Amino acid sequence: MASVAESAATHALRNVLQRVQQAAERSGRSACQVRVVAVSKTKPIVAIREAYDAGHRHFGENYVQELLEKVPELPADIQWHFIGHLQSNKAKALVAGVPNLYMVEGVDNPKVASYLDRAIAGLGRRSLKVFVQVNTSGEESKSGVEPSECLELAKHVKFQCPNLEFSGLMTIGMLDYTSRPENFKTLVDCQAKVCEALDMPKEECELSMGMSGDFEQAIEMGSTNVRIGSSIFGPREYLTKT
C-alpha cells in the first residue's frame, strides 16, 4: 500500500496535469502540446521515484552536483532537464555524467554554448537540445540575455554549435518566480523575431515559461514547457547548492 506521502504527491502531480490540460484547452491546444518538467531540486530520490512510478518522465534540476548524485540512483529512461545557471567549467561534467540529459534550458551566453558543444563532440553523443534563456523582467539578479540579444545567441547556437539543437527560448520571470503577462509577451515577441530571422516554424521554437505560481497563464499565452516544483513536490528544502 502506498504511504500517505506517496499518495499526496501522486495526487498533486495528477492535479497539476489536469490544470495543464485545462489551460492548454483554453489556448486552443491539447495537453500533449505542453511538456511538464517536474522540478526536483532539493528533493530526495524517493520523491522523484514516486512521480516516476506515477508515469512521469521529464524532471528538472538546478545544480550540477546534485543532478550527478541523483542520476545513478534513478531509472535511465528519465529525461533530465538542466534548468539552473550553468557555468562553462561545469559543462563537460554535466554532459559526461548525465547520459540521459534531454535538454539544457538555461544557455545564456556564447561561451557556455560553445563549451557544451565541445563536450558533446568529445563524447560522441547525439546532439543536445538547448533553450536560450532570456531575461524578460530586467532584473539584474536574473540570468539570461536581454531580449534584444536573443537572436544573436540563437544564431550562435544554431550555426556555430553543430552538436547543439536550438529548440526554443526560456525565461524565469520575476524575483518571486511569478511573471506578469508582459514578461510572457516579451518571450512570445522574441520567438516571433527568432523564427522570422532563422526561417523556423514556430512549432520548432518552443517557449519555456511558467512555474508553480503562474503556469496556467503561461500556457494560455503560448508556453510549451512549464517547470513545476512545489505544486508537485511541496516546499523546497535547500540542502545542496553546488
Side-chain angles (χ1 to χ4, degrees):
M1 178 180 293
S3 70
V4 173
E6 287 174 339
S7 298
T10 299
H11 176 76
L13 174 61
R14 297 194 190 285
N15 178 261
V16 164
L17 294 176
Q18 182 178 37
R19 290 166 63 190
V20 166
Q21 178 178 351
Q22 292 168 345
E25 289 172 353
R26 289 194 295 271
S27 70
R29 295 180 289 159
S30 64
C32 66
Q33 293 175 285
V34 181
R35 182 188 305 107
V36 174
V37 179
V39 179
S40 49
K41 68 176 181 179
T42 79
K43 294 302 175 182
I45 296 296
V46 64
I48 303 171
R49 169 66 80 164
E50 181 183 337
Y52 176 89
D53 289 343
H56 206 69
R57 292 296 180 268
H58 288 271
F59 293 85
E61 289 285 340
N62 287 62
Y63 308 120
V64 172
Q65 187 58 42
E66 184 177 353
L67 177 55
L68 293 178
E69 291 170 0
K70 287 177 174 177
V71 166
E73 304 296 324
L74 288 160
D77 64 334
I78 284 180
Q79 301 192 72
W80 290 106
H81 295 235
F82 186 77
I83 62 174
H85 176 67
L86 180 62
Q87 297 174 305
S88 57
N89 63 354
K90 293 187 177 181
K92 184 176 181 180
L94 175 66
V95 171
V98 188
N100 48 335
L101 182 65
Y102 179 78
M103 177 182 292
V104 172
E105 295 203 19
V107 171
D108 60 3
N109 65 74
K111 182 179 179 181
V112 167
S114 296
Y115 270 63
L116 278 172
D117 182 65
R118 289 197 293 270
I120 293 166
L123 290 169
R125 59 167 288 171
R126 64 182 181 182
S127 62
L128 176 68
K129 296 177 182 288
V130 299
F131 286 157
V132 165
Q133 183 173 351
V134 183
N135 185 339
T136 59
S137 66
E139 295 171 285
E140 292 184 3
S141 61
K142 286 287 187 293
S143 300
V145 296
E146 293 298 315
S148 61
E149 300 170 352
C150 69
L151 176 57
E152 287 307 309
L153 183 51
K155 286 180 177 178
H156 177 80
V157 172
K158 190 170 180 65
F159 300 123
Q160 303 299 322
C161 300
N163 299 288
L164 302 183
E165 181 182 341
F166 171 69
S167 299
L169 306 170
M170 182 268 257
T171 192
I172 291 178
M174 304 301 290
L175 189 60
D176 60 357
Y177 294 99
T178 61
S179 290
R180 295 190 293 263
E182 53 263 36
N183 299 133
F184 296 147
K185 178 64 164 56
T186 296
L187 202 67
V188 171
D189 290 344
C190 288
Q191 179 195 44
K193 180 171 66 174
V194 168
C195 287
E196 180 180 9
L198 300 182
D199 194 26
M200 288 181 68
K202 189 173 75 170
E203 296 73 22
E204 294 181 9
C205 183
E206 292 197 47
L207 292 177
S208 178
M209 56 188 193
M211 301 171 76
S212 287
D214 55 21
F215 69 88
E216 288 157 305
Q217 182 184 53
I219 292 169
E220 290 173 17
M221 295 187 69
S223 180
T224 62
N225 188 86
V226 292
R227 309 174 306 275
I228 303 176
S230 59
S231 290
I232 295 174
F233 295 112
R236 298 185 183 110
E237 302 165 10
Y238 288 99
L239 301 175
T240 304
K241 286 192 176 183
T242 303

